[in-house]
Amino acid sequence: MDDSADDETPLLGMDLPETAPQASSGPYRVLARKYRPQTFAELIGQDAMVRTLGNAIARDRLAHAFLMTGVRGVGKTSTARLIAKALNCIGPDGQGGPTIDPCGVCEPCRAITEGRHIDVIEMDAASNTGVDDVREIIEAVRYAAVSARYKIYIIDEVHMLSRNAFNALLKTLEEPPPHVKFLFATTEVNKVPVTVLSRCQRFDLRRITPDMLFAHFSAILQKEGVEAEAPAIWLIANAAEGSVRDGLSILDQAIAHADLDGGGKIGADQVRVMLGLSDRSAIGQLMATILDGDAGGAIDLARAQYALGIEPVAMVRGLMDLTHAITLAKVSRHDDPALAAADRERIGDWAQKLGFAPLNRLWQLLLKGHDEVLRANNPLEHLEMLLLRVIYAASMPDPGELAKLLEKGGVPATPMVAPAAPAAQGDTVAALPVDAPAAETPASALTIAQIHQLLESAGNHQLALQVYDHLQLLQLEPGLIVHAAAPALDGDFARRVGEALLKETGSRWQVRVGEGDARPSLGQMKAAKLADNGARIRELPVVKAALAAFPDARLVEDDDNRHRSNP
């Protein structure tokens, strides 16, 4: 082969691998290319695939087409190049055969590493999508390899090929000449036709775990002679989201950032600022104000973080991450090495105090609010409204909690944290409840509305409906319900209510019919309120004018009111 081949300009679109580190006087190479794996032993996190390939090579049961799929930066193209080296390696003595451990020193190995082997053709499907590009491959596969054992075609991002290009390739892909191997790589395997998938041996490359990334990045930093705090490396490993290339790109940036501002050492605070992550301590303070019901304090903290350059959506993500951490801590599954000891202690304390129900409601509110803040024209305003919604709505006690409190002999008389603004009569506003014992309250504070809610939550829908519509109270005391006779309440009503309350509260209840002036039922009170509202609405000048202009018009109740009046 002509020595001038070493000076040839590489084809556009090819990400050529690099060999040993160059002298410092040469152009800088990013870490993702400098430390591209050159052997299967250096390919981290893909042990199952390497074992399968090794067994196939050892038994001489090689497929004619391989498809590597997985998220970005896990080694798909690197694996294709390693397979090309493994199949064409001839060993240091020139007498070797296919091996899972290519020597890296023979001419085929060095030529493939340097991207100049004439029989290993790389094609970027994103820029070669048509039938004409595939036709060139079909015509070229008929000819034997020039100097290698196999002629290998590596097609990156193969899902970008057009439908006609895929169809043109099918026959050749199913029955290629024995000297040809196809290696495909893609991040979107769902876009590859099943007719192509059925002709390939598929390998799904796994995401790299944070533990593996931490060890890998630590080794690279040691080789580069750069110091870094362990929490900083963990932050980079988590931010990589399973991608080695993404993590190395962040690590490159962190090294440059440390050289300028950190005295040569990568710190966790620098990495957090560089990635635009919200400060953990500030998010912890924000969570504390939410749990304390301090609406004003929460808004002040959010505005202070916004003034420092933290995006509102990053603050929501921080609250979601913290909620997730607290929930995992409740089941002893939270282990984040990037956390400081004080943060671990605070999360553990919240995990002991908060129940699963309020944590789940908090998560759902934040999850919905995240999308709203992300799409908002003014994210800060949406964040402030989200914080108020979380403080005043996330903690409304659910029927299950009410039942537990009734079993203990009491219900909460006041919110755990008083709201900043007065609530309307009959409304309940509270901060997130904790699993601490509630203040004892006489059972006489239990209202007929709470009894109706308790029956409804227990699944006694028909019984709850009878209570709502027809139960007119004469007397309500601990363990005693006296009501007026009603045709809709049959003779079995008292027994069924008593049994249901015994099951839900653990206390015996006497339910009987009495005489006297009874209070209206819940349904009757609702209807009277709606009628009064209707009368007042009809007196409004605009409504009078509308009714005069449209004599057949009538007032109707909205869907929400209808739903509340017919539980």
Side-chain angles (χ1 to χ4, degrees):
M1 184 181 296
D2 190 353
D3 293 337
S4 62
D6 294 340
D7 298 327
E8 290 178 358
T9 302
L11 297 176
L12 293 177
M14 292 176 58
D15 184 14
L16 300 182
E18 300 293 336
T19 55
Q22 299 178 359
S24 59
S25 59
Y28 175 71
R29 290 168 300 158
V30 296
L31 298 178
R33 298 186 67 188
K34 184 176 181 180
Y35 293 98
R36 185 189 293 274
Q38 301 300 323
T39 65
F40 281 105
E42 297 176 4
L43 190 66
I44 62 175
Q46 312 300 339
D47 297 338
M49 181 196 68
V50 174
R51 184 168 55 253
T52 302
L53 285 173
N55 293 340
I57 292 174
R59 298 178 181 180
D60 195 21
R61 300 179 65 88
L62 289 168
H64 56 263
F66 298 89
L67 175 69
M68 272 67 68
T69 179
V71 298
R72 68 203 181 279
V74 293
K76 298 183 295 298
T77 306
S78 296
T79 300
R81 291 170 180 164
L82 290 176
I83 293 175
K85 286 169 47 172
L87 298 182
N88 285 324
C89 179
I90 59 176
D93 58 358
Q95 303 300 320
T99 174
I100 195 63
D101 297 312
C103 65
V105 297
C106 65
E107 175 58 24
C109 284
R110 289 190 294 110
I112 293 172
T113 299
E114 297 167 7
R116 57 179 175 82
H117 202 294
I118 193 172
D119 292 319
V120 178
I121 301 97
E122 288 197 38
M123 186 182 85
D124 177 19
S127 55
N128 300 273
T129 61
V131 176
D132 292 339
D133 301 303
V134 172
R135 186 177 295 116
E136 294 180 7
I137 297 176
I138 297 173
E139 294 175 354
V141 296
R142 295 180 297 174
Y143 303 102
V146 175
S147 62
R149 187 178 295 112
Y150 293 101
K151 178 181 286 188
I152 295 178
Y153 290 89
I154 300 176
I155 304 180
D156 202 6
E157 300 301 334
V158 69
H159 67 273
M160 299 293 289
L161 289 178
S162 66
R163 181 184 184 90
N164 291 336
F166 273 124
N167 291 335
L169 187 61
L170 285 180
K171 187 62 178 176
T172 303
L173 186 60
E174 184 172 18
E175 298 178 0
H179 60 270
V180 174
K181 301 292 182 184
F182 288 97
L183 305 177
F184 300 142
T186 179
T187 54
E188 300 184 52
V189 69
N190 58 301
K191 294 184 179 180
V192 179
V194 292
T195 50
V196 173
L197 294 177
S198 64
R199 290 166 168 84
C200 300
Q201 190 171 99
R202 174 175 168 176
F203 292 104
D204 290 270
L205 276 66
R206 298 168 45 196
R207 288 180 181 268
I208 313 303
T209 63
D211 292 342
M212 293 181 177
L213 290 175
F214 177 85
H216 185 56
F217 297 160
S218 299
I220 289 177
L221 287 171
Q222 187 175 4
K223 294 177 183 178
E224 292 291 315
V226 178
E227 296 184 12
E229 298 176 357
I233 305 177
W234 280 112
L235 285 172
I236 296 173
N238 290 327
E241 297 182 346
S243 170
V244 181
R245 185 174 63 237
D246 286 10
L248 289 176
S249 298
I250 298 173
L251 189 61
D252 243 331
Q253 184 180 359
I255 292 175
H257 194 77
D259 286 340
L260 294 174
D261 302 326
K265 185 175 183 179
I266 302 175
D269 292 337
Q270 292 175 329
V271 172
R272 190 173 290 113
V273 171
M274 182 188 72
L275 296 177
L277 300 176
S278 54
D279 181 59
R280 285 185 183 272
S281 60
I283 291 299
Q285 295 174 10
L286 184 58
M287 177 65 79
T289 59
I290 291 175
L291 298 181
D292 291 340
D294 183 4
I299 291 178
D300 290 341
L301 283 174
R303 290 177 178 176
Q305 286 290 291
Y306 184 75
L308 293 175
I310 305 300
E311 292 296 327
V313 69
M315 286 183 258
V316 180
R317 290 195 190 108
L319 289 172
M320 293 177 67
D321 291 341
L322 188 52
T323 303
H324 179 252
I326 296 171
T327 307
L328 290 184
K330 286 191 69 67
V331 293
S332 303
R333 289 297 183 271
H334 179 254
D335 184 18
D336 186 355
L339 280 180
D343 293 330
R344 290 173 180 270
E345 183 179 354
R346 180 168 51 184
I347 289 176
D349 183 57
W350 281 333
Q352 292 179 354
K353 292 181 178 179
L354 293 171
F356 283 108
L359 283 172
N360 180 64
R361 289 196 296 274
L362 177 59
W363 173 265
Q364 294 297 331
L365 286 167
L366 292 173
L367 184 62
K368 185 175 185 298
H370 176 271
D371 293 337
E372 295 176 357
V373 175
L374 188 63
R375 299 192 306 265
N377 294 328
N378 192 327
L380 180 60
E381 289 183 357
H382 280 70
L383 173 63
E384 292 174 353
M385 296 303 295
L386 171 62
L387 294 176
L388 294 176
R389 186 192 315 163
V390 169
I391 291 173
Y392 288 106
S395 59
M396 299 298 289
D398 59 23
E401 292 174 346
L402 180 61
K404 290 180 181 179
L405 293 173
L406 289 174
E407 290 179 1
K408 296 177 182 178
V411 295
T414 59
M416 296 191 62
V417 178
Q425 184 177 2
D427 291 343
T428 301
V429 182
L432 286 173
V434 298
D435 289 341
E440 292 296 332
T441 304
S444 58
L446 187 65
T447 66
I448 192 63
Q450 291 171 325
I451 292 176
H452 163 260
Q453 184 183 19
L454 188 61
L455 295 173
E456 184 70 31
S457 65
N460 297 314
H461 304 299
Q462 183 178 4
L463 198 58
L465 186 61
Q466 288 180 307
V467 170
Y468 187 90
D469 286 338
H470 306 292
L471 184 65
Q472 298 177 331
L473 273 179
L474 290 167
Q475 185 179 359
L476 177 60
E477 297 179 359
L480 175 64
I481 298 176
V482 182
H483 64 92
L489 303 181
D490 54 27
D492 201 33
F493 172 78
R495 180 188 62 80
R496 291 188 291 119
V497 172
E499 291 179 353
L501 292 178
L502 172 62
K503 181 179 178 181
E504 299 303 321
T505 66
S507 302
R508 294 188 177 277
W509 287 75
Q510 181 182 1
V511 183
R512 58 183 175 84
V513 177
E515 296 181 355
D517 296 331
R519 285 176 284 174
S521 68
L522 294 174
Q524 291 170 338
M525 287 189 288
K526 181 69 175 181
K529 182 178 179 180
L530 291 176
D532 180 65
N533 289 341
R536 287 188 288 107
I537 290 174
R538 290 177 182 275
E539 294 300 320
L540 295 175
V542 65
V543 177
K544 284 185 175 181
L547 293 176
F550 304 97
D552 295 333
R554 60 189 180 89
L555 293 176
V556 295
E557 183 184 352
D558 62 31
D559 292 338
D560 290 340
N561 283 332
R562 272 199 300 272
H563 176 73
R564 288 192 292 267
S565 62
N566 295 285

